[in-house]
Amino acid sequence: MTRADPLPCLARVAAAAARPGQPEAIFAALHEAMGAAIGHTLFTVLVADPVRNESQRIYSSHPAEYPVGGRKPITDSEWFRIIRDRGEVWIGQSYEDVRWAFFDHELIRSLGCESAMNVPVRWNGRTWGTLNLLHRAGWYRPEDAATGQLFAAMATPALLELSQRSA
């Protein structure tokens, strides 16, 4: 379970945020940097749309299985309350956890993923979206949550801009 020092990874994301071609540039940098600092097999970014009561995928490391633009309804679940209402990172260690949280757990498992970490992207007391990392069973540790929150803070401007575009 080797993880890179997160500071250089965060610096690469900061540099990407200054480049043109947003928000794709920062999402690609988050994909690479979070893969090195935390680890993932599958990485997606979702933005919340409270008007439509759904979330939309705006980045995917596996576009064939999880295409950009894909939408899913926001359901009132304990998982959603943890992420949206409490703004906490959710870590699922096992396939049972993944099955509890996600309706598409069989597709997730088919990609070799049996653990997950969902990091809310928050601004001004509101969850605007999530950074979603999935990996083999038992991959994520409680201390990964703090590192994930640093990356999520760097994603905030991109999610806010996307929310304004769709409004």
Side-chain angles (χ1 to χ4, degrees):
M1 293 191 182
T2 304
R3 288 165 169 79
D5 177 0
L7 188 57
C9 298
L10 288 160
R12 289 194 298 274
V13 174
R19 291 195 298 264
Q22 299 301 333
E24 293 79 11
I26 197 164
F27 294 147
L30 285 163
H31 174 181
E32 182 275 325
M34 292 183 85
I38 300 171
H40 58 72
T41 299
L42 171 63
F43 175 76
T44 65
V45 180
L46 297 175
V47 64
D49 184 343
V51 173
R52 292 186 174 131
N53 202 35
E54 62 187 11
S55 59
Q56 181 176 14
R57 193 174 308 103
I58 54 176
Y59 184 88
S60 175
S61 66
H62 286 67
E65 296 87 359
Y66 288 98
V68 170
R71 295 177 178 270
K72 54 181 159 181
I74 293 173
T75 58
D76 184 28
S77 66
E78 180 60 24
W79 175 89
F80 192 71
R81 287 187 291 277
I82 291 167
I83 301 295
R84 182 196 64 191
D85 298 341
R86 299 196 318 243
E88 298 172 3
V89 175
W90 181 82
I91 294 177
Q93 291 289 345
S94 66
Y95 179 65
E96 290 73 30
D97 295 335
V98 169
R99 187 175 58 220
W100 172 81
F102 308 115
F103 71 90
D104 56 345
H105 56 87
E106 291 175 355
L107 176 55
I108 291 169
R109 190 179 217 181
S110 77
L111 296 173
C113 301
E114 294 190 354
S115 67
M117 184 168 88
N118 303 111
V119 186
V121 176
R122 294 187 51 92
W123 175 255
N124 201 23
R126 178 178 164 197
T127 299
W128 292 85
T130 57
L131 306 179
N132 310 295
L133 296 84
L134 296 100
H135 213 315
R136 68 177 188 248
W139 182 263
Y140 299 106
R141 309 177 304 210
E143 55 268 26
D144 291 327
T147 303
Q149 288 172 317
L150 293 171
F151 285 107
M154 298 179 86
T156 302
L159 267 68
L160 289 174
E161 181 179 317
L162 287 169
S163 294
Q164 290 175 346
R165 284 185 197 172
S166 65

